[in-house]
Amino acid sequence: MVYATRDDSEFRHASVDLHGLRASATSPRERTPAATWTCPGLMGRRMRKEVYHISLRTSQMINVVRLIMIIGVIYVHAIPILKPIDSPIITAFSSLMRGPIGTSGIALFFFLSSILTYKKEFTFKSNFRKKCLSLLLPYIAFISFWILVVFVMQLYTPLLVLFHFDSQVILWGKPVIQWTPLDWFDAYTGFVHGTPFVYPFWFIRDLFLVNIFASLIKKAVDSNPYISGIILIAISIVLMQIGTYGLTLFSFALGYYVIKFNISLEKVNDINISLILVGYVALVLCFSITFKYIYYILVFPLVIVGNILYLQIGYC
């Protein structure tokens, strides 16, 4: 409760309720409960309690790491341009970027998103509403726009020469006008072909899905963090087996473990960066081993070590 006084005023005290966002005026002669005001736009909202503090230095680090990851994503999606170049160095670089390095980099996006989500208390309803506005609506709008563009292109064949994505002009061997309900469903979800019609948007799709289960993940980890961790890894492996990016769930859950055990991200600076770098390179090189299950053995430690390495770079 905050009080402010003014000598020459009819009202000597003004009390502000920080939780209800309501102020009431009182005089030395009477208290008038009806004399209240509410803050426009904030009425009925309560400030979410912060359960994990992110320092200014850590916030700056996150921005640096995001920039590095964005540049990395651009390089990964530009790699097909290098395919015509017949060079073992280019081939090895492409394999690493699209393989272990790209995998650990994308996982870091989900890890940081999880920390930013869980750092304040939330309800399923509030988080769902927020993610619908920030993720789902833009996702649907952009895919719809792109389908419309392709549809128009298919009506006017000469326009095809202005574009260079022939694989998407006829989706699944059929023009848009011939799509079945299943084709339309798959264009927005990618549950049949693995990716939505605008294939880079699989990231937004997966981020939205893990946010739907954010409350359930929290409840499971809170009940038993160790058994839940094993179950989450098992589910992630199953998701990888059916062709999806199973590290979405693992990385997002990993972020909540940091919140639950109140692990400061700045502690990564206490780890010898040379040791982490050697470990990371060793894990990356191990992916060249021709063993059927090597990916499932190494990918989880790769993500953890990769996260530590990228965070240390961000703090530099």
Side-chain angles (χ1 to χ4, degrees):
M1 201 71 71
V2 179
Y3 293 95
T5 63
R6 188 171 60 184
D7 294 335
D8 297 328
S9 172
E10 179 185 356
F11 301 102
R12 296 185 58 189
H13 300 281
S15 61
V16 181
D17 184 348
L18 295 179
H19 295 287
L21 296 174
R22 183 180 67 181
S24 60
T26 61
S27 72
R29 296 181 300 274
E30 62 176 347
R31 291 182 181 270
T32 311
T36 63
W37 58 269
T38 56
C39 182
L42 295 178
M43 184 171 56
R45 297 185 185 180
R46 297 185 63 174
M47 296 178 64
R48 294 191 299 157
K49 179 182 177 182
E50 185 179 79
V51 296
Y52 181 82
H53 178 66
I54 295 180
S55 65
L56 176 61
R57 184 169 180 240
T58 297
S59 179
Q60 293 171 339
M61 176 276 296
I62 291 176
N63 289 331
V64 171
V65 170
R66 278 176 169 172
L67 177 60
I68 295 173
M69 295 300 102
I70 289 172
I71 295 174
V73 168
I74 294 173
Y75 270 103
V76 167
H77 287 90
I79 282 176
I81 300 175
L82 303 175
K83 283 186 177 180
I85 303 176
D86 186 15
S87 168
I89 297 178
I90 295 297
T91 301
F93 174 75
S94 300
S95 299
L96 290 175
M97 288 299 295
R98 296 187 70 90
I101 294 179
T103 295
S104 59
I106 294 174
L108 183 58
F109 269 120
F110 291 106
F111 173 74
L112 294 176
S113 177
S114 173
I115 289 177
L116 295 176
T117 298
Y118 285 115
K119 74 184 184 73
K120 289 186 178 181
E121 291 182 344
F122 63 87
T123 62
F124 170 82
K125 183 178 179 180
S126 65
N127 191 48
F128 181 75
R129 180 172 59 246
K130 179 180 179 181
K131 300 307 177 183
C132 280
L133 293 174
S134 62
L135 295 176
L136 185 61
L137 289 182
Y139 175 87
I140 293 175
F142 195 86
I143 290 180
S144 299
F145 170 76
W146 201 238
I147 291 175
L148 177 62
V149 170
V150 173
F151 174 71
V152 172
M153 289 167 52
Q154 291 171 343
L155 293 178
Y156 302 96
T157 305
L159 292 178
L160 295 178
V161 299
L162 301 177
F163 297 85
H164 301 281
F165 50 91
D166 295 340
S167 62
Q168 289 186 355
V169 172
I170 304 295
L171 186 64
W172 307 302
K174 292 182 290 185
V176 174
I177 199 171
Q178 296 179 9
W179 283 4
T180 65
L182 180 61
D183 293 329
W184 280 99
F185 176 75
D186 196 31
Y188 285 96
T189 63
F191 286 162
V192 177
H193 289 84
T195 58
F197 187 66
V198 183
Y199 77 94
F201 275 30
W202 70 265
F203 177 87
I204 300 177
R205 177 201 63 189
D206 286 13
L207 185 59
F208 178 74
L209 290 176
V210 289
N211 269 279
I212 289 179
F213 294 100
S215 297
L216 182 60
I217 293 172
K218 178 180 183 301
K219 185 176 182 180
V221 174
D222 286 344
S223 63
N224 193 315
Y226 306 105
I227 294 179
S228 295
I230 295 173
I231 294 174
L232 287 168
I233 291 176
I235 295 175
S236 297
I237 293 176
V238 171
L239 291 174
M240 294 177 204
Q241 288 281 354
I242 62 178
T244 62
Y245 186 76
L247 289 177
T248 301
L249 177 62
F250 173 77
S251 303
F252 197 83
L254 187 64
Y256 180 64
Y257 275 88
V258 170
I259 302 294
K260 177 176 175 57
F261 293 102
N262 196 28
I263 303 172
S264 173
L265 294 181
E266 295 187 23
K267 288 185 177 179
V268 299
N269 293 314
D270 297 335
I271 305 174
N272 190 310
I273 190 170
S274 299
L275 182 62
I276 291 297
L277 184 59
V278 170
Y280 184 72
V281 171
L283 286 169
V284 168
L285 293 178
C286 284
F287 273 80
S288 61
I289 299 175
T290 56
F291 177 62
K292 183 178 180 181
Y293 300 105
I294 193 70
Y295 181 85
Y296 306 112
I297 295 174
L298 297 178
V299 70
F300 299 109
L302 173 73
V303 167
I304 295 174
V305 174
N307 284 354
I308 294 173
L309 177 62
Y310 293 136
L311 294 179
Q312 283 189 328
I313 293 173
Y315 276 119
C316 292

